[in-house]
Amino acid sequence: MSTGQRQGDNAQGPVHVAIIMDGNGRWAKMRNLPRQEGHRRGLEALRRTVRNADELGIKVLTLYSFSTENWRRPQAEVSFLMGLLRRFVEKDLEELHGSGVRVRIIGGRDDLTPDLRGLVEHAETVTRGNTGMTLVVAFNYGARDEIARAARGLAADVAAGRIAAATIDEAMLSSRLDTHDLPDPELVIRTSGETRISNFLLWQAAYAEFVFTPVLWPDFDRAALEEALAEYRRRERRFGGLAEPADRKVGAA
Ligand code: FPP
C-alpha cells in the first residue's frame, strides 16, 4: 500500500536535531580569554539550547560534547571537559528530570573514569521513564568507533553461533548502535563556519539535512536555532530517490 504522502515534506519537524557544537576556542581567543572560558560559556549555550529545543517542540536533541579525537587535546583541556560533563550532570539532572527530559549518553564508556561512568548511568536510570524531550549527550563519541563496536558484537554472536552471518542487515546493525532506541536525525547543525561532519553520526545522518552557521557555539541562541529550523523546513527532502510517491517502491502493493 502506498501512503500517497510525499516523503519530501519538511514542513513538519524535525523530530531529531543533532548539533556539532564548535567554536568555543575561537570565541575565547577573540576576547583574549583562556579556552576554558570558551568551554564554560559553551556549557551555558548548551543549557540554553536544551531549553529552547524543548520549547520549540524538538523531541530528540543530540549534542556532540566530546569526540574520540578530543583525547588528543592537552591533558588540562581534556580534564576540564570531563569536569564540565560531571558538573552538568550533577547540577542539572534535577531540573532536567523535573522537566520530563530523558537523558541518554552515547559513546564509548570504557575510557571514562568509574565515577563519571556511574554518574552518566545514574542520569540515564533516573530519567528513563520520562516522556518529554530526549537529550542525547555524545561523549567520547566517534561514529567509526560506534560502528566498530557494533560490528564486534555481531562478530562475537556469529562466532558463538547465536546468529547467522547471512542474517545481518541494516536493521540489525542499527540495533547494535548506541542510538538503537532513537530515531535518525533529520537535521544536523554545525556552528562556527566549519563544514565537516567530523565522525559524528555517520550511519544515522545518511539522509539528514545539514545546516552550517557561522555563529560560534557560545553565541548560539534561540534565533540561531530557529533560523536553522526554518532553513530545514524550506528544503525538500528526497531521501536519495525520486520525489513522487508513485515512483517509490517502499510499501507498494
Ligand atoms: C568545540 O570547540 C567544542 C568542544 C570540543 C567541546 C564542546 C563542549 C561544550 C559545548 C561545553 C559543554 C560540555 C559538556 C561536556 C557537557 P573548540 O574548542 O573546538 O573550538 P575552536 O574550534 O574554536 O577551537
Side-chain angles (χ1 to χ4, degrees), residues 92 185 219 238 246:
D92 292 33
D219 292 328
R238 295 181 193 276

Side-chain angles (χ1 to χ4, degrees), residues 19-24 42 46 63-66 189-191 217:
I19 307 183
I20 302 175
M21 308 179 290
D22 197 7
N24 293 349
L46 182 154
L63 300 171
Y64 203 6
S65 303
F66 190 90
I189 301 169
R190 182 169 189 153
T191 60
W217 177 250

Side-chain angles (χ1 to χ4, degrees), residues 202-235:
L202 296 181
W203 176 280
Q204 299 87 342
Y207 296 100
E209 293 286 342
F210 286 79
V211 170
F212 300 103
T213 168
V215 174
L216 300 176
W217 177 250
D219 292 328
F220 194 80
D221 58 8
R222 190 179 178 108
L225 177 60
E226 284 184 322
E227 175 48 35
L229 296 175
E231 171 65 26
Y232 167 84
R233 288 170 185 144
R234 281 193 290 270
R235 294 183 193 172

Side-chain angles (χ1 to χ4, degrees), residues 50-69:
V50 171
R51 276 196 302 274
N52 287 331
D54 199 8
E55 284 169 19
L56 290 166
I58 291 164
K59 295 281 176 254
V60 184
L61 176 69
T62 299
L63 300 171
Y64 203 6
S65 303
F66 190 90
S67 75
T68 46
E69 288 73 28

Side-chain angles (χ1 to χ4, degrees), residues 21-27 35 38-46 64-67 70 73 77 80-86 88 137 139 192 194 216-217:
M21 308 179 290
D22 197 7
N24 293 349
R26 275 161 286 168
W27 184 94
R35 289 179 59 80
H39 292 317
R40 225 188 318 264
R41 294 294 288 262
L43 179 57
E44 285 175 26
L46 182 154
Y64 203 6
S65 303
F66 190 90
S67 75
N70 285 155
R73 295 190 177 203
E77 185 168 344
F80 190 79
L81 289 167
M82 297 285 156
L84 280 190
L85 178 65
R86 181 176 287 110
F88 175 61
V137 180
F139 198 87
S192 89
E194 303 293 342
L216 300 176
W217 177 250

Side-chain angles (χ1 to χ4, degrees), residues 12-250:
Q12 303 301 313
V15 172
H16 183 174
V17 176
I19 307 183
I20 302 175
M21 308 179 290
D22 197 7
N24 293 349
R26 275 161 286 168
W27 184 94
K29 193 170 183 196
M30 283 165 62
R31 290 162 179 79
N32 278 321
L33 294 168
R35 289 179 59 80
Q36 296 188 348
E37 187 55 27
H39 292 317
R40 225 188 318 264
R41 294 294 288 262
L43 179 57
E44 285 175 26
L46 182 154
R47 291 181 166 124
R48 191 163 65 225
T49 302
V50 171
R51 276 196 302 274
N52 287 331
D54 199 8
E55 284 169 19
L56 290 166
I58 291 164
K59 295 281 176 254
V60 184
L61 176 69
T62 299
L63 300 171
Y64 203 6
S65 303
F66 190 90
S67 75
T68 46
E69 288 73 28
N70 285 155
W71 292 103
R72 295 189 205 126
R73 295 190 177 203
Q75 177 55 39
E77 185 168 344
V78 169
S79 300
F80 190 79
L81 289 167
M82 297 285 156
L84 280 190
L85 178 65
R86 181 176 287 110
R87 195 187 321 169
F88 175 61
V89 176
E90 282 173 352
K91 285 200 164 182
D92 292 33
L93 183 59
E94 200 177 318
E95 187 187 329
L96 292 168
H97 187 40
S99 308
V101 172
R102 184 170 73 115
V103 178
R104 289 273 283 102
I105 315 287
I106 59 170
R109 301 209 178 173
D110 293 349
D111 303 319
L112 304 184
T113 57
D115 70 313
L116 196 51
R117 204 178 321 148
L119 208 57
V120 301
E121 279 165 10
H122 173 69
E124 288 186 321
T125 306
V126 167
T127 62
R128 183 166 289 148
N130 289 349
T131 54
M133 187 177 79
T134 298
L135 170 63
V136 185
V137 180
F139 198 87
N140 189 29
Y141 177 85
R144 288 181 172 183
D145 173 67
E146 178 191 34
I147 294 167
R149 282 188 281 111
R152 275 200 298 278
L154 289 170
D157 281 354
V158 171
R162 286 188 288 269
I163 55 172
T167 63
I168 297 173
D169 57 9
E170 292 181 16
M172 195 185 290
L173 201 139
S174 284
S175 75
R176 302 297 182 107
L177 297 175
D178 296 347
T179 52
H180 58 89
D181 56 344
L182 302 167
D184 287 342
E186 297 98 336
L187 171 63
V188 177
I189 301 169
R190 182 169 189 153
T191 60
S192 89
E194 303 293 342
T195 51
R196 297 181 299 282
I197 190 165
S198 296
N199 203 13
F200 186 48
L201 302 178
L202 296 181
W203 176 280
Q204 299 87 342
Y207 296 100
E209 293 286 342
F210 286 79
V211 170
F212 300 103
T213 168
V215 174
L216 300 176
W217 177 250
D219 292 328
F220 194 80
D221 58 8
R222 190 179 178 108
L225 177 60
E226 284 184 322
E227 175 48 35
L229 296 175
E231 171 65 26
Y232 167 84
R233 288 170 185 144
R234 281 193 290 270
R235 294 183 193 172
E236 190 181 59
R237 298 170 73 202
R238 295 181 193 276
F239 291 99
L242 299 166
E244 294 304 320
D247 296 321
R248 289 178 59 83
K249 296 281 184 284
V250 177

